Amino acid sequence: MKGGVSLLLYLISALGVGNGRHIFMSPLVTRARTVVIVILPETGVENTLYRQFGETIQKRSPYRTWSVIADLHGKAARLEDIPAIVWSVRDRLREEGFTADQYDLFLAGHGTSGLPVQLYASIYPAEVDGILLFNSYLRQGQIITFPVPILTISGDLDGVTRITQIADMLIDNISEDENEDDSLLQMSPIIVIEGVNHGSILTGELPEYFKTADVNSDLPIDRAIDKISDITRTFLVKTVDNDSGSKLSLLKESRKTLTLLQPIMEIKRMTLDSTLKSTWVTYAQIWLSGILGPNSAKMHVQSYVNRNLEPALMEQLDGSVTIFTFSEMVYSKDDVTDDDMPPASPRLMEIKSKLFKAERVQAVLSNSSVGGSIKSCRDINYASFVYTYHLAQNITRKRFDRTHSGIIFHEDIVARTKSEWEQQKLLVEQRDNVLHVTSVSWTSTSSEGIVYCKLLPPPRITEWIYVDSLL
Ligand SMILES: *[C@@H]1O[C@H](CO)[C@@H](O)[C@H](O)[C@H]1NC(C)=O
Ligand SMILES: *[C@@H]1O[C@H](CO)[C@@H](O)[C@H](O)[C@H]1NC(C)=O
Ligand SMILES: *[C@@H]1O[C@H](CO)[C@@H](O)[C@H](O)[C@H]1NC(C)=O
Ligand SMILES: *[C@@H]1O[C@H](CO)[C@@H](O)[C@H](O)[C@H]1NC(C)=O
């Protein structure tokens, strides 16, 4: 078939939720396997804004490819809408002379539509040959067991489906040793494209609600669509023909993504690891002690989380010191929960830490060289920023530097009593483009030499550097 794309508007006459002006774009090539890709738009986005994307996929695809853009009447896609949509697509294919075994059907969801799409595929895996999540992601823990091939494509400038959420989704199922994850990534490639935002596959604006949350894209729309269509094509070929070259190419892209996500995961793991200890609080205690030089090796700190105990310090016979610190991770209260939505991972708001003051540690490890610049809760929080910033990839740091978004660490609020300390929250406020952080401290007057600090969790800094500062 020569010439442009013939665009057919297909109005289904049957009653029910499947009703709609789905856009059916008929194939450009005739002699090849037939493939159908059904795209569910983001909530509130007209399906016509996906035409260029649908066409580009057809042009790139080596198959006789139908692109179908579902009409959701401007509403959010719901799981119960999908059977009717799939039915109407199959019905149309039947009219064109294809029986169900003569084509492969892929279901794709953009943004919030990604969730019903994955629910549908996990309930009816025989109905689809694979799913694609554009600017969306699989629910946590599902990646290992998902019953059909799945491709996740997002952008590092997506302010709605954030890169930090994608890292969160993966963190428990990706080992720290990068090479071990090949089989997982081969099965379910995850590709975060540099410069792409939430609206990068649309030739038009996102609804206001998403637009204000989204970061500006670095990539012109045509190039973003080309790039995403290319990856989509590769996934189709990998799935339909079990093509090893395509498999390898997706694996390479996924590994690149993993490199981008690694700092975010590392920050999260060091804040709270799987054994419920916090390397971050351990660092805080070591820095706060001010012990420098060889004697710093005589300090052994173990930082336990969510046990509300006073810290303990024990001198060992060999002259070393073991310190146990205890902290509580404070999460944001759960927002409204919706049965259809995956529970949002709760946000870590502050770390209530109980540490030893420098004087106390130095009194035990006397004859140490002492110093360092970390003397208050505020200083530890500043270190959180410096650490997170330096761990980020060059591209992330460059973008952040360009925003000139400052971050100011104010003098600690000194609580008079323990209960005052308990109640006064760590203050984190964004004013204009600047983040203001104020910690709360409480210091014991007794000889125990204990200080309580409200610490800024490093993942909050990640969120600021990677996304919020760019808005
Ligand atoms: C994958 O992650 C989920 C939680 O997100 C966890 O429950 C599960 O054990 C993990 N599976 C593997 C094999 O790591
Ligand atoms: C796909 O190809 C791999 C080799 O690349 C092979 O091991 C596997 O059995 C093939 N799967 C199918 C379903 O043909
Ligand atoms: C203190 O440290 C110095 C050098 O590190 C050493 O020569 C000296 O013997 C130490 N004194 C005591 C009392 O441990
Ligand atoms: C990041 O930037 C530094 C200098 O700013 C450079 O030395 C380093 O090679 C860069 N790393 C990458 C991976 O590009």
Side-chain angles (χ1 to χ4, degrees):
M1 196 191 294
K2 268 191 142 183
V5 182
S6 79
L7 236 139
L8 290 165
L9 291 179
Y10 183 63
L11 177 62
I12 295 167
S13 53
L15 291 169
V17 277
N19 273 356
R21 292 167 195 275
H22 307 316
I23 298 174
F24 278 81
M25 302 161 91
S26 51
L28 303 173
V29 287
T30 51
R31 281 189 309 274
R33 174 105 187 129
T34 300
V35 165
V36 183
I37 174 164
V38 183
I39 302 172
L40 272 63
E42 174 62 286
T43 306
V45 181
E46 284 265 351
N47 60 356
T48 52
L49 300 190
Y50 294 87
R51 265 187 193 156
Q52 185 177 334
F53 183 46
E55 278 175 24
T56 312
I57 292 174
Q58 289 183 310
K59 284 184 195 145
R60 298 294 155 102
S61 167
Y63 304 115
R64 177 205 281 249
T65 306
W66 292 77
S67 290
V68 182
I69 327 280
D71 181 2
L72 302 172
H73 307 285
K75 300 209 190 73
R78 294 170 310 169
L79 173 60
E80 57 264 40
D81 298 334
I82 298 182
I85 293 169
V86 171
W87 178 83
S88 67
V89 171
R90 292 202 184 279
D91 196 43
R92 171 63 190 270
L93 267 289
R94 203 161 27 242
E95 278 178 17
E96 297 281 340
F98 296 99
T99 57
D101 58 351
Q102 287 175 319
Y103 58 89
D104 292 302
L105 189 138
F106 292 87
L107 201 56
H110 182 211
T112 56
S113 290
L115 182 66
V117 163
Q118 61 189 267
L119 290 176
Y120 178 80
S122 63
I123 301 170
Y124 310 106
E127 286 296 317
V128 293
D129 293 285
I131 66 169
L132 300 98
L133 303 177
F134 299 120
N135 302 95
S136 180
Y137 57 94
L138 208 55
R139 286 205 278 181
Q140 203 168 24
Q142 296 230 321
I143 186 166
I144 305 258
T145 53
F146 207 73
V148 302
I150 174 165
L151 170 69
T152 304
I153 306 183
S154 197
D156 64 351
L157 293 179
D158 189 331
V160 181
T161 302
R162 298 175 163 217
I163 186 173
T164 45
Q165 290 170 307
I166 292 182
D168 262 8
M169 176 275 282
L170 264 181
I171 190 165
D172 293 336
N173 295 134
I174 283 282
S175 65
E176 283 161 77
D177 175 6
E178 291 188 23
N179 297 322
E180 274 180 27
D181 300 310
D182 281 2
S183 65
L184 180 70
L185 295 175
Q186 240 164 29
M187 198 168 60
S188 313
I190 296 179
I191 297 167
V192 175
I193 306 170
E194 262 176 34
V196 160
N197 71 1
H198 199 71
S200 284
I201 57 174
L202 299 178
T203 50
E205 300 279 336
L206 281 168
E208 200 54 32
Y209 165 76
F210 292 114
K211 214 176 142 221
T212 48
D214 207 11
V215 180
N216 285 335
S217 155
D218 274 358
L219 212 58
I221 187 88
D222 290 348
R223 283 191 47 211
I225 287 181
D226 281 352
K227 183 127 204 213
I228 296 169
S229 304
D230 268 345
I231 297 169
T232 299
R233 167 222 145 93
T234 310
F235 175 72
L236 295 180
V237 175
K238 175 214 148 198
T239 310
V240 173
D241 282 335
N242 192 27
D243 175 61
S244 55
S246 304
K247 219 180 267 181
L248 201 63
S249 144
L250 291 173
L251 181 62
K252 261 171 67 185
E253 292 284 337
S254 298
R255 281 206 196 113
K256 253 169 64 187
T257 294
L258 214 53
T259 310
L260 202 62
L261 298 178
Q262 214 65 51
I264 303 173
M265 297 197 204
E266 192 174 330
I267 287 290
K268 189 139 193 237
R269 286 194 183 108
M270 77 178 299
T271 304
L272 178 59
D273 67 24
S274 52
T275 67
L276 292 185
K277 284 192 195 159
S278 174
T279 310
W280 181 250
V281 176
T282 292
Y283 283 3
Q285 175 65 80
I286 291 172
W287 292 333
L288 191 63
S289 76
I291 305 279
L292 305 174
N295 265 0
S296 57
K298 290 192 183 165
M299 267 180 80
H300 305 290
V301 182
Q302 305 247 24
S303 299
Y304 293 92
V305 163
N306 289 356
R307 287 184 223 175
N308 194 10
L309 300 172
E310 296 297 305
L313 184 151
M314 281 175 288
E315 296 175 51
Q316 309 290 346
L317 291 174
D318 64 1
S320 68
V321 172
T322 303
I323 293 175
F324 297 101
T325 77
F326 299 93
S327 304
E328 196 184 326
M329 300 279 166
V330 180
Y331 293 92
S332 61
K333 291 245 169 32
D334 266 357
D335 295 312
V336 194
T337 52
D338 179 338
D339 286 346
D340 272 358
M341 295 297 279
S345 26
R347 270 164 43 83
L348 180 55
M349 303 306 285
E350 63 179 31
I351 306 174
K352 291 160 73 174
S353 286
K354 301 180 173 178
L355 308 169
F356 284 108
K357 289 196 283 189
E359 297 77 9
R360 177 70 199 281
V361 184
Q362 288 169 12
V364 181
L365 290 175
S366 55
N367 199 25
S368 297
S369 56
V370 299
S373 56
I374 294 184
K375 300 187 189 307
S376 63
C377 305
R378 167 193 176 217
D379 297 338
I380 299 172
N381 288 342
Y382 176 62
S384 167
F385 167 67
V386 173
Y387 194 93
T388 307
Y389 175 83
H390 284 291
L391 208 57
Q393 302 284 336
N394 283 358
I395 170 112
T396 309
R397 284 206 305 271
K398 216 189 281 168
R399 281 199 192 116
F400 176 74
D401 291 345
R402 261 205 317 256
T403 66
H404 303 289
S405 313
I407 175 158
I408 297 176
F409 293 89
H410 296 277
E411 291 294 327
D412 294 345
I413 295 171
V414 179
R416 283 159 301 181
T417 60
K418 284 188 195 182
S419 76
E420 203 177 286
W421 179 81
E422 291 283 345
Q423 276 153 30
Q424 175 65 60
K425 289 192 175 71
L426 170 80
L427 300 178
V428 180
E429 291 169 299
Q430 187 180 343
R431 294 203 288 271
D432 298 323
N433 217 20
V434 176
L435 202 64
H436 295 261
V437 179
T438 312
S439 182
V440 188
S441 68
W442 174 83
T443 313
S444 74
T445 44
S446 70
S447 59
E448 291 160 339
I450 291 171
V451 58
Y452 290 6
C453 278
K454 292 282 176 93
L455 298 185
L456 177 64
R460 287 192 77 171
I461 297 283
T462 309
E463 210 69 46
W464 171 249
I465 291 179
Y466 279 77
V467 187
D468 290 312
S469 68
L470 308 177
L471 289 174

